């Protein structure tokens, strides 16, 4: 427990600049300001360092750049490998695990130890890894690094402990998966091919054991050579050669024939009775041309040959289309008897795999589905229906449907918001899916006890917004909103937005959401803001449009005009559209033709539109072009439903909009906001007031629908998620292009130079070209001036130069007056200073508790009118003095910038605590969050550090070097939320969730799903006496006898190096009782069975000997008594 004693009265009352610059405030972090009066603040800080620990929780989305696929047919779990060394293991919904190879090498191939709870991965650094899946977080048990060979293909027979490994040199090695030690048994390429062959056969591209005899290994070489190797005799049974390169091989389950796919788009069928040439060659997509020749086709990269009891075999392959059909999409072809079905895919096929009922390769396969891994999607095709429908994917694999440009994370949401969003979104779901259950159904997952409603919002490049249910570490899409429907469609190559961003004119920059009032606001790249209200009813509406001219020129030196000091207000209550106000052309911009002035980037629909239930656009605010220059991107936004106000800013200035009256209250340059309190010396620069009134041009249309109230009362404070400070660079002149978070580039150095200058509180000389951007905004009940007796609605403004302004406002409290009387905005009061660009505000009462923003309880404005429920706004206000009668008046303001955090006492504006967060880097994201029933400041720095700092004392609690910032995507999508959670876009297609709470780390095991469930392995079918007798002696094949050290010897130590896994003793114990132990027990059981069979054989031999003796004696007796008469006995 940390008790902080602070002095209320007698604190220094010098000017704000002097206060900030005082030695006490500039001292080390956590040093209190000196005081001289007895009145004290007693704040019990409960947070300690032990409350914080950083760990990854779960990863959502599609694996980025996938490379490999595997399926366990007994456990029914799927594994996907990626180019970055990641492995995603999927089972039933809720069973989703992410593993990462430490080397980061691409995963080449995956092999499950079927029904053993283990997985073998082969990586591009020529290393094999054995993963234990019998724990909730899989770990590597063994690794084997090949030093002189490159791994190209692996094969693990069912219920075998010997892994076949093919290499680039054409050799085949054998690895014991229990010990992960290389066997001395090696199939050298020069022994496998014919001695007369003069060329190298190429790398091994296929390995498989014969379904007829496990002692026969089929080896496919890239050049077109196929060899069946007799493992017992250590010689080749036969060799086949085809002129085209081989890509894959598929056996018939009887083991008498197999099929190959080739680089010329052909499929060849081979019979083991005649190995000189294939008995069938087909070009499935190759047509005969007029000259009699086959048209050339693309390679068939993989083929699977699966038999069925009640129908013809399935032949499934990818590729093979003719070259002359340019622009055709990638295809998967399913040949079933004479029917050929071609399934076109949206993305290139990486890998596919048929899912079969049996794990045994010598039984009828009975395929029921095909898993197709695409470059950016995962689909499963139902083979049991003739039209081959796809299954509805329960995983959130479409996060990247359009590139993600911003994220927001809300924990502890109102409990009713998730069901209502889901019910609205369910009406727009696609249909035509297979009616059968999702076939990847392995593992177990139960809803943990530590769950609460969580919502993730993603904004996308196409202007769409997706709401996701993120409760209980799962992710499920609730609702999708398309912001582009607000605007007129752009013709290709036309549109004013095309010159602004070239493409993606509707891309989302930031979002602001109040879950209680369900007010939702988005900022787009074309300098537009859309305000949405939620309704359960559809409506006919006409969208209101406000146009704002917020542009500065360094040449303009204009004194403030009257209508800025006394803002204009448009006439409220208008029921008819006002005429569009055309701004007069400026004298200096009239000469060149086609110069754009006073027009928005994109055109809002100006007609009545039918809007479905859900989020419905109410207001659009657009910044205008000025003299051929596009508007600057919006860098900050905040909205407050209780006040009915919306504020936004960019590098030119600030605007405040009353969205209830649809009027612009304030439109002012950053410089003019200071008035006489400007701490810097610079030239005056302001918006062009001679061309625009403060209120701007307004299109007001009133919705004539009737309204009523819906009361919901909750206590969750509103977050505004922006990436404003990251979007303030290179915004000069037309033709700039949107830089999406998915772009893999790093421009941190330029940002460091532009926005992270170290500043003091003394008067600075600002460069003429420096634009002071509005970087963060927040409405709050606060004190605009030092002598304010009670808190009033205020707007806190933070700038890129480290300045904080507090602007007081006067808002009518009565509902009727609020809709008719104007909101007045006073001159700025407090001016506070920090180092670096201001990022975040937070407010605490004098007990150290977080003060939530006031909000309006949601009411459905489109609901039928109910006379029993009067139409009134219900406001919930959290005043700093509401429960502080015993603690005195005032509150604490937490301000965080790129380099510093400060805590101010309001209304005296005294700096109580200061902490220099970083000197060598800068903060990218900061949030004041609640964790462990207390409050802290969470920061993410550009050097990859994640920090938590106590409030209000600003003591460092945690500082962990989590991840290097490799690109701006992470910086723009990183966000913290309550409950000790955070997220970021780890790749263009995946969301990584992390926790910095020790409590959640402790409970994580309970929340994760189990990958392995004990299931009895299906018994092999009885082959019958004749099939077993004539089908070879496959069952007597003993791999241990052939590959063990006793007979095969040891492999060269220089060939491969064994590396023990980092799983720890617990993982090793689990493994001992798991994979290895089960295999050992199975071997002991087999030995015991063999011993019993031997004893039975001995007893049978004794019985046969006894029978032969009896027969001999009986024969002798018969001869002796043969000639005697009956009376002679």
């Amino acid at each position: 427990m940390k008790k902080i004693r602070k002095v209320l009265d007698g604190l220094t009352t010098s000017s704000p600049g002097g206060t900030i610059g005082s030695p006490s405030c500039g001292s080390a972090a956590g040093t209190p300001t000196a005081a001289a009066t007895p009145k004290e603040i007693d704040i019990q800080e409960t947070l300690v360092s032990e409350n914080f620990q950083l760990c990854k929780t779960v990863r959502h989305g599609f694996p980025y750049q996938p490379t490999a696929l595997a399926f366990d047919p007994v456990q029914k779990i799927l594994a996907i490998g990626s180019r970055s060394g990641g492995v995603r293991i999927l089972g039933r919904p809720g069973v989703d695990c992410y593993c990462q190879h430490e080397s980061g090498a691409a995963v080449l191939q995956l092999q499950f130890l079927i029904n053993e709870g283990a997985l073998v991965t082969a990586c591009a650094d020529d290393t094999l890894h054995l993963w234990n899946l019998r724990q909730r977080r899989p770990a590597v048990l063994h690794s084997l690094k090949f030093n002189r060979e490159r791994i190209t293909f692996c094969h693990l027979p069912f219920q075998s402990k010997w892994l076949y490994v093919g290499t680039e040199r054409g050799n085949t090695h054998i690895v014991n998966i229990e010990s992960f030690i290389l066997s001395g048994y090696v199939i050298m390429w020069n022994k496998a091919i014919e001695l007369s062959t003069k060329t190298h056969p190429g790398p091994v591209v296929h390995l498989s054991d014969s379904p007829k005899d496990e002692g026969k290994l089929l080896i496919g070489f890239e050049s077109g050579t196929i060899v069946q190797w007799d493992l017992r005799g250590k010689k080749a049974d036969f060799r086949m050669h085809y002129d085209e390169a081989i890509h894959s091989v598929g056996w018939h389950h009887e083991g008498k024939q197999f099929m190959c796919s080739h680089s010329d788009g052909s499929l060849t069928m081979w019979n083991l009775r005649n190995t000189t040439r294939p008995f069938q060659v087909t070009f499935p997509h190759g047509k005969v041309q007029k000259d009699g020749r086959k048209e050339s086709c693309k390679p068939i990269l993989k083929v699977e040959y699966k038999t069925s009891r009640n129908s013809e075999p399935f032949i499934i392959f990818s590729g093979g289309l003719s070259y002359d059909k340019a622009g055709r999409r990638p295809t998967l072809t399913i040949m079933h008897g004479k029917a050929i079905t071609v399934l076109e895919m949206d993305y290139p096929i990486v890998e596919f795999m048929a899912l079969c009922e049996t794990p045994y390769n010598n039984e009828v396969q009975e395929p029921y589905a095909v898993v197709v891994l695409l470059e950016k999607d995962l689909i499963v095709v139902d083979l049991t229906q003739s039209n081959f429908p796809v299954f509805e994917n329960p995983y959130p694999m479409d996060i990247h449907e359009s590139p993600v440009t911003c994220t927001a994370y809300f924990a502890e949401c109102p409990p009713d918001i998730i069901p209502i969003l889901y019910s609205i979104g369910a009406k727009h779901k696609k249909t035509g899916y297979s009616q059968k259950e999702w076939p990847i159904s392995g593992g177990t997952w139960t809803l943990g006890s530590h769950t609460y409603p969580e919502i993730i919002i993603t904004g996308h490049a196409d202007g769409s917004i997706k709401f996701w249910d993120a409760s209980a570490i799962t992710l499920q899409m609730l609702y999708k909103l398309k912001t582009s429907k607000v605007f007129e469609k752009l013709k290709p190559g036309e549109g004013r937005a095309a010159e602004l961003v070239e493409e993606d004119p509707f891309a989302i920059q930031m979002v602001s959401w109040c879950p209680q009032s369900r007010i939702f606001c988005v900022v787009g790249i074309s300098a537009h803001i859309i305000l949405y209200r939620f309704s359960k009813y559809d409506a006919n509406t006409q969208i209101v449009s406000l146009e704002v001219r917020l542009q500065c020129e360094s040449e303009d030196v204009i004194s403030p005009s009257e209508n800025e000091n006394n803002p204009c207000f448009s006439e409220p209550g208008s029921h008819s559209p006002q005429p569009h106000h055309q701004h007069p052309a400026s004298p200096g911009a009239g000469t060149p033709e086609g110069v754009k002035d006073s027009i928005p980037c994109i055109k809002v629909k100006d007609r009545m539109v039918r809007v479905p239930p859900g989020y419905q656009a109410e207001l659009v605010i657009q910044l205008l072009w000025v003299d051929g220059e596009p508007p600057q991107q919006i860098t900050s936004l905040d909205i407050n439903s209780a006040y009915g106000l919306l504020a936004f800013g960019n590098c030119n200035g600030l605007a405040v909009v009353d969205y209830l009256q649809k009027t612009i209250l304030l439109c002012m340059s950053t410089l003019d906001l200071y008035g006489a309190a400007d701490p810097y010396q610079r030239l005056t620069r302001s918006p062009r007031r001679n061309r625009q009134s403060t209120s701007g041009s307004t299109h007001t249309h009133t919705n004539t629908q009737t309204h009523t109230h819906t009361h919901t009362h909750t206590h969750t404070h509103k977050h505004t998620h922006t990436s404003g400070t990251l979007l303030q660079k290179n915004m000069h002149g037309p033709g700039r292009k949107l830089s999406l978070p998915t772009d893999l580039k790093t421009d941190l150095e330029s940002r460091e130079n532009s926005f992270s200058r170290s500043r003091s509180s003394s008067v600075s000389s600002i460069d003429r070209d420096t634009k002071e951007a509005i970087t963060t905004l927040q409405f709050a009940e606060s004190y605009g001036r030092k002598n304010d007796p009670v808190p009033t609605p205020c707007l806190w403004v933070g700038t890129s130069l480290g300045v904080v302004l507090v602007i007081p406002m006067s808002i009518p409290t009565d509902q009727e007056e609020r809709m008719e009387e104007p909101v007045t905005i006073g001159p700025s009061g407090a001016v506070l200073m920090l180092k670096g660009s201001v990022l975040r505000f937070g407010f605490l009462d004098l007990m150290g508790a977080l003060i939530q923003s006031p909000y309006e309880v949601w009411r459905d404005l489109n609901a039928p009118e109910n006379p029993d429920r009067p139409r009134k706004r219900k406001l919930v206000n959290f005043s700093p003095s509401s429960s502080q009668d015993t603690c005195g008046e005032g509150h604490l303001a937490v301000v965080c910038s790129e380099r510093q955090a400060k805590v101010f006492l309001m209304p005296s504006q005294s700096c109580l605590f200061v902490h220099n967060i970083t000197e060598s880097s800068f903060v990218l994201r900061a949030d004041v969050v609640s964790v462990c029933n207390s409050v802290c400041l969470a920061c993410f720095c550009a050097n990859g550090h994640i920090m938590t700092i106590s409030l209000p004392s600003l003591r460092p609690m945690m500082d962990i070097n989590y991840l290097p910032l490799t690109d701006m995507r992470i910086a723009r999508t990183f966000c913290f939320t309550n409950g000790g959670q955070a997220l970021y876009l780890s790749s263009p297609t995946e969301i990584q969730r992390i926790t910095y709470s020790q409590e959640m780390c402790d409970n994580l095991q309970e929340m994760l799903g189990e990958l392995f469930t004990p299931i009895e392995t299906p018994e092999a079918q009885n082959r019958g006496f004749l099939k077993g007798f004539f089908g070879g002696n496959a069952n007597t094949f003993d791999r241990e006898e052939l590959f063990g050290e006793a007979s095969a010897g040891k492999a060269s130590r220089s060939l491969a190096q064994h590396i023990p896994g980092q799983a720890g003793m617990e993982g090793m114990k689990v493994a001992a009782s798991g994979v290895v132990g089960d295999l050992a027990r199975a071997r002991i059981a087999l030995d015991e069975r063999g011993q019993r069979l031997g004893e039975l054989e001995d007893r049978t031999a004794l019985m046969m000997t006894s029978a032969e003796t009896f027969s001999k004696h009986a024969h002798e007796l018969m001869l002796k008594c043969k000639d005697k008469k009956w009376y002679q006995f």
Side-chain angles (χ1 to χ4, degrees), residues 1064-1090:
M1065 289 303 296
E1066 183 178 352
M1068 295 297 284
K1069 289 176 183 176
V1070 172
S1073 63
V1075 183
V1076 180
D1078 282 359
L1079 286 171
R1081 285 192 291 273
R1083 184 182 170 196
I1084 292 170
L1086 286 172
D1087 290 342
E1088 291 174 352
R1089 182 171 177 267

Side-chain angles (χ1 to χ4, degrees), residues 43 51 70 120 192 199 285-286 321 425 451 630 659 703 837 925 963:
I43 297 180
N51 293 129
V120 175
T199 58
H285 295 301
L321 294 178
T451 59
Y659 69 79
N703 190 348
S837 178
R925 179 77 192 201
L963 82 165

Side-chain angles (χ1 to χ4, degrees), residues 14-205:
S14 58
S15 65
T19 301
I20 306 304
S22 63
S24 61
C25 193
S27 59
T31 305
T33 309
T37 56
K39 196 170 183 181
E40 297 175 341
I41 303 174
D42 292 338
I43 297 180
Q44 300 287 339
E45 285 197 12
T46 59
L47 289 180
V48 291
S49 299
E50 287 71 24
N51 293 129
F52 298 96
Q53 181 184 344
L54 195 67
C55 69
K56 295 180 180 179
T57 54
V58 68
R59 181 172 291 207
H60 303 298
F62 180 77
Y64 185 55
Q65 296 179 330
T67 54
L69 183 70
F71 182 72
D72 187 325
V74 179
Q75 288 290 320
K76 295 191 182 301
I77 55 176
L78 186 80
I80 302 173
S82 70
R83 193 177 300 176
S84 60
V87 178
R88 280 283 288 283
I89 305 172
L90 303 169
R92 68 177 66 247
V95 178
D96 187 341
C97 180
Y98 174 76
C99 315
Q100 175 67 45
H101 291 92
E102 289 185 2
S103 65
V107 178
L108 297 179
Q109 200 175 349
L110 299 165
Q111 287 275 315
F112 275 107
L113 277 68
I114 295 175
N115 203 29
E116 296 290 350
L119 176 72
V120 175
T121 58
C123 296
D125 60 351
D126 306 308
T127 305
L128 298 172
H129 304 274
L130 177 65
W131 292 83
N132 175 27
L133 307 184
R134 296 196 176 213
Q135 54 196 62
R136 292 180 189 249
R137 285 192 173 273
V140 174
L141 294 174
H142 299 283
S143 298
L144 188 66
K145 168 75 173 173
F146 281 75
N147 297 322
R148 297 183 300 182
E149 299 257 27
R150 304 297 308 272
I151 298 172
T152 57
F153 196 87
C154 297
H155 171 63
L156 180 65
F158 179 46
Q159 294 182 324
S160 168
K161 68 174 184 179
W162 297 95
L163 175 73
Y164 302 116
V165 181
T167 67
E168 195 174 51
R169 292 184 180 179
N171 303 323
T172 301
H173 300 275
I174 302 170
V175 178
N176 186 314
I177 58 170
E178 286 184 0
S179 60
F180 244 55
I181 295 175
L182 211 57
S183 168
Y185 193 113
V186 184
I187 305 172
M188 304 299 290
W189 68 270
N190 54 355
K191 299 287 182 62
I193 65 171
E194 294 180 1
L195 296 176
S196 59
T197 305
K198 296 181 180 179
T199 58
H200 191 279
V204 174
V205 296

Side-chain angles (χ1 to χ4, degrees), residues 502-713:
E502 295 182 13
E503 55 188 30
D504 299 324
F506 309 113
I508 306 300
Q509 271 185 278
M510 64 187 82
V511 299
S512 180
W513 187 44
C514 178
Q516 292 78 19
S517 65
R518 302 183 188 175
I519 294 283
F520 184 58
C521 205
V522 302
V523 174
I525 196 68
S526 298
H528 65 270
I529 299 172
I530 311 174
L531 185 142
Y532 290 90
R533 284 186 184 269
F534 187 83
S535 175
K536 294 189 287 185
Y537 304 91
D538 56 1
N540 290 316
T541 184
Q542 190 156 9
I543 302 165
V544 180
S545 173
L546 293 180
E547 296 178 351
V548 181
R549 189 181 177 97
L550 189 61
Q551 197 84 355
C552 295
E553 271 190 356
S554 57
E555 300 87 20
D556 288 344
V557 182
I558 303 173
S559 60
S561 62
E562 282 189 14
N563 48 348
E564 279 204 357
N565 297 327
N566 304 290
C568 305
F569 303 93
S570 62
E571 187 67 28
S574 174
H575 289 267
S576 61
Q578 295 183 5
H580 185 284
H581 178 65
Q582 296 289 343
H583 297 282
S586 61
T591 46
E593 285 211 14
V595 171
K596 295 173 181 174
D597 186 62
S598 302
I599 54 174
C601 297
I602 42 183
K603 190 176 186 302
V604 179
K605 290 179 180 177
D606 56 359
R607 60 186 182 276
M608 294 291 289
V609 291
R610 185 77 173 173
V611 289
Y615 273 105
Q616 301 168 351
E618 178 178 295
L619 175 66
V620 177
I621 304 167
Q622 292 178 287
L623 298 186
L624 301 175
W625 285 66
V626 178
D627 287 347
E629 289 188 10
Q632 300 298 316
Q633 293 176 7
I634 294 166
T635 57
S636 56
L637 170 76
D638 193 37
I639 187 168
N640 188 281
S641 58
Y643 301 160
L645 299 180
L646 181 151
F648 65 94
N650 63 8
C651 62
N652 289 331
L654 171 70
V656 180
V657 174
D658 182 343
Y659 69 79
L660 296 178
Q661 298 187 26
K662 310 296 189 294
T663 57
I664 301 172
L665 302 177
L666 181 72
C667 178
M668 192 178 290
S669 72
T670 314
L671 178 61
D672 292 331
L673 292 173
Y674 291 112
D678 187 4
Y680 296 110
Q681 294 175 347
R682 50 189 156 185
L683 292 176
T684 305
R685 182 171 58 250
S686 62
R688 304 173 185 183
R689 300 171 205 88
N690 57 334
R691 302 184 198 127
Q692 176 194 5
S693 67
T694 308
S695 59
S697 64
T698 308
H699 299 200
T700 306
H701 308 289
T702 304
N703 190 348
T704 57
Q705 296 287 323
T706 55
H707 312 302
T708 186
H709 290 280
T710 301
H711 294 280
T712 56
H713 193 81

